[in-house]
């Protein structure tokens, strides 16, 4: 859609307060022109855009619109290989400690060359300051200018679905554009705090990093698997693979760390690649290489969401 093209060209960076405010103004304008009455819900460190009634909706579609800092190495995610994921995260932590050690050592050498012997407390203060700096860089450093997959893809998918949703199906759904997922799921935490019934009972389909990979997978919460298997069957029926694009509801071990975790009935949706040794994986995100937006993925998910909303029944049985 024309709106999606504009996001890619004009709003791909949504990190600063001003950038987010400008994007929210444009987004609300597009939703209003399509017949919605969007509102900006304010919560702790977050501004969520909500279109629809979360108290009456049978399903909540969501995506986070904020974007991340640019990093020298990607956030490599393996949702179905916890061992590899933990090993990679440990290597990242180790890399930070090595960087802190080298930077501190260089500073101490420079001070000694200048004729100053730094005391122990200065060593400790310098190390602490460097750790704080690297943590700040990861969470709130310079903006990544390339966010096609994370999470411009999810934002576009959500908007495309909202704009294409027939008027007769709109009362069944609620669309939520979450803020500050990258800083710690603040947007979804604020939303579920304000809408406790939705948190406990309403199925949530959350699109995050859905455009770079041929394997589109759905990761339901354990409670969703146990309490609402009918919904999982409806998801499988609605979201159908096409050609090289494969869809799967993961019923076995697997996780996806995004805003869906704030819901008891959350389902995280992402696009993955595959290699024989490590299995399904996601790469490039949080780096300047995040430039892949596969339109076929967006269309597949949009059409699946429309089919899900159009279903005669979206069961809420067995949620209490």
């Amino acid at each position: 859609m024309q709106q999606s093209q504009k996001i890619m060209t004009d709003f791909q960076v949504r990190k600063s307060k001003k950038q987010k405010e400008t994007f929210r103004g444009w987004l609300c304008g597009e939703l209003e022109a399509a017949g919605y009455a969007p509102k900006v819900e304010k919560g702790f460190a977050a501004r969520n855009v909500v279109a629809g009634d979360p108290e009456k909706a049978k399903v909540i579609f969501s995506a986070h619109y904020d974007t991340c800092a640019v990093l020298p190495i990607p956030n490599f995610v393996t949702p179905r290989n916890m061992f590899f994921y933990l090993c990679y995260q440990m290597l990242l932590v180790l890399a930070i400690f090595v960087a802190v050690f080298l930077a501190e050592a260089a500073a101490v050498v420079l001070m000694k060359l200048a004729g100053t012997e730094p005391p122990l407390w200065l060593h400790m203060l310098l190390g602490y300051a460097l750790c704080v700096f690297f943590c700040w860089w990861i969470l709130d450093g310079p903006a990544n200018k390339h966010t096609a997959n994370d999470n411009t893809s999810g934002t576009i998918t959500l908007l495309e679905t909202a704009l294409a949703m027939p008027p007769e199906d709109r009362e069944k759904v609620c669309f939520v554009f979450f803020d500050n997922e990258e800083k710690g799921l603040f947007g979804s935490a604020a939303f579920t705090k304000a809408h406790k019934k939705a948190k406990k009972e309403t199925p949530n389909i959350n699109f995050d990093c859905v455009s770079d990979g041929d394997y589109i997978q759905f990761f339901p919460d354990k409670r969703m698997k146990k309490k609402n298997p009918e919904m999982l069957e409806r998801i499988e029926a609605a979201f159908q693979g096409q050609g090289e694009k494969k869809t799967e509801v993961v019923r076995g071990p697997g996780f996806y760390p995004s805003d869906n975790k704030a819901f008891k009935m959350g389902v995280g949706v992402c696009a993955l690649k595959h290699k024989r040794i490590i299995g399904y994986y996601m790469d490039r995100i949080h780096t300047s290489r995040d430039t892949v937006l596969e339109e076929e993925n967006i269309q597949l998910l949009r059409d699946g969401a429309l089919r899900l909303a159009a279903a005669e029944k979206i069961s809420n049985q067995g949620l209490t």
Side-chain angles (χ1 to χ4, degrees):
M1 289 185 177
Q2 184 179 5
Q3 292 88 344
S4 300
Q5 296 173 15
K6 187 171 180 62
I7 292 176
M8 283 295 293
T9 56
D10 296 353
F11 296 115
Q12 198 170 153
V13 181
R14 306 173 297 277
K15 191 171 188 300
S16 70
K17 181 179 179 180
K18 183 177 180 180
Q19 289 166 344
K20 291 179 181 181
E21 185 177 1
T22 301
F23 174 71
R24 286 195 302 268
W26 174 85
L27 175 62
C28 288
E30 294 300 318
L31 290 170
E32 288 172 357
Y36 291 93
K39 57 183 178 180
V40 178
E41 291 188 353
K42 299 180 180 180
F44 174 71
R47 300 291 186 271
N48 300 323
V49 177
V50 181
D53 189 344
E55 307 303 328
K56 296 180 179 179
K58 299 295 185 180
V59 62
I60 295 173
F61 294 111
S62 64
H64 75 87
Y65 69 87
D66 63 305
T67 54
C68 63
V70 63
L71 301 178
I73 53 178
N75 183 12
F76 199 86
V77 182
T78 54
R80 299 173 72 170
N81 189 335
M82 180 64 74
F83 175 76
F84 190 90
Y85 178 76
L86 292 176
C87 288
Y88 187 81
Q89 298 304 314
M90 290 175 65
L91 285 176
L92 289 181
V93 173
L94 179 61
I96 291 175
F97 276 108
V98 170
V100 169
F101 174 79
L102 293 176
E104 183 180 4
V108 170
V109 169
L110 290 175
M111 284 188 285
K112 287 185 176 182
L113 291 176
T116 302
E117 184 65 32
L120 178 61
W121 67 266
L122 186 58
H123 280 274
M124 296 177 63
L125 180 62
L126 183 58
Y128 176 77
L130 287 170
C131 285
V132 170
F133 169 77
F134 281 111
C135 289
W136 166 83
W137 186 11
I138 292 173
L139 294 175
D140 204 26
N144 190 4
K145 297 180 180 180
H146 304 281
T147 66
N149 194 29
D150 187 16
N151 188 30
T152 294
S153 66
T155 302
I156 287 176
T157 299
L158 195 61
L159 181 58
E160 291 254 353
T161 303
L163 297 181
M165 184 69 64
E168 62 270 20
D169 292 332
R170 292 185 179 185
E171 291 186 0
K172 300 179 183 179
V173 301
C174 178
F175 299 95
V176 187
F177 297 80
F178 289 125
D179 187 13
N180 278 344
E181 186 269 355
E182 297 289 354
K183 293 183 179 180
L185 310 182
F186 289 143
S188 53
F191 179 84
T192 51
K193 182 178 180 180
H195 304 283
K196 292 182 172 57
K197 181 181 177 181
K199 173 181 180 177
K200 295 179 181 179
E201 299 181 4
T202 309
N204 163 248
I205 311 294
N206 185 65
F207 303 111
D208 191 355
C209 302
V210 296
S211 71
D212 188 8
D214 291 336
Y215 301 90
I216 300 176
Q217 301 192 347
F218 297 73
F219 292 87
D221 184 86
K222 290 182 179 179
R223 194 164 184 262
M224 169 71 91
K225 296 177 184 178
K226 181 178 180 181
K227 296 288 186 178
N228 201 358
E230 291 181 2
M231 185 61 180
L232 298 185
E233 293 175 1
R234 293 182 183 280
I235 292 173
E236 287 178 328
F239 294 90
Q240 301 171 3
Q242 301 172 359
E244 295 182 354
K245 303 297 180 180
K246 310 298 182 183
T247 58
E248 179 183 358
V249 175
V250 180
R251 297 176 182 271
F255 73 102
Y256 194 67
S258 187
D259 289 303
N260 48 284
K261 290 298 181 181
F263 295 83
K264 297 296 184 181
M265 295 288 163
V267 180
V269 186
C270 62
L272 302 169
K273 303 171 186 176
H274 186 269
K275 286 186 178 180
R276 185 168 56 182
I277 297 177
I278 63 175
Y280 297 99
Y281 70 96
M282 178 188 301
D283 60 354
R284 302 185 186 184
I285 59 173
H286 294 197
T287 71
S288 59
R289 297 178 63 236
D290 184 2
T291 59
V292 178
L293 187 81
E294 297 186 23
E295 295 182 20
E296 189 176 353
N297 289 22
I298 308 300
Q299 294 168 2
L300 185 154
L301 290 170
R302 178 199 63 198
D303 294 345
L306 294 175
R307 282 193 291 267
L308 184 63
E312 293 183 3
K313 294 180 181 180
I314 299 179
S315 175
N316 277 343
Q317 297 177 357
L319 299 186
T320 58

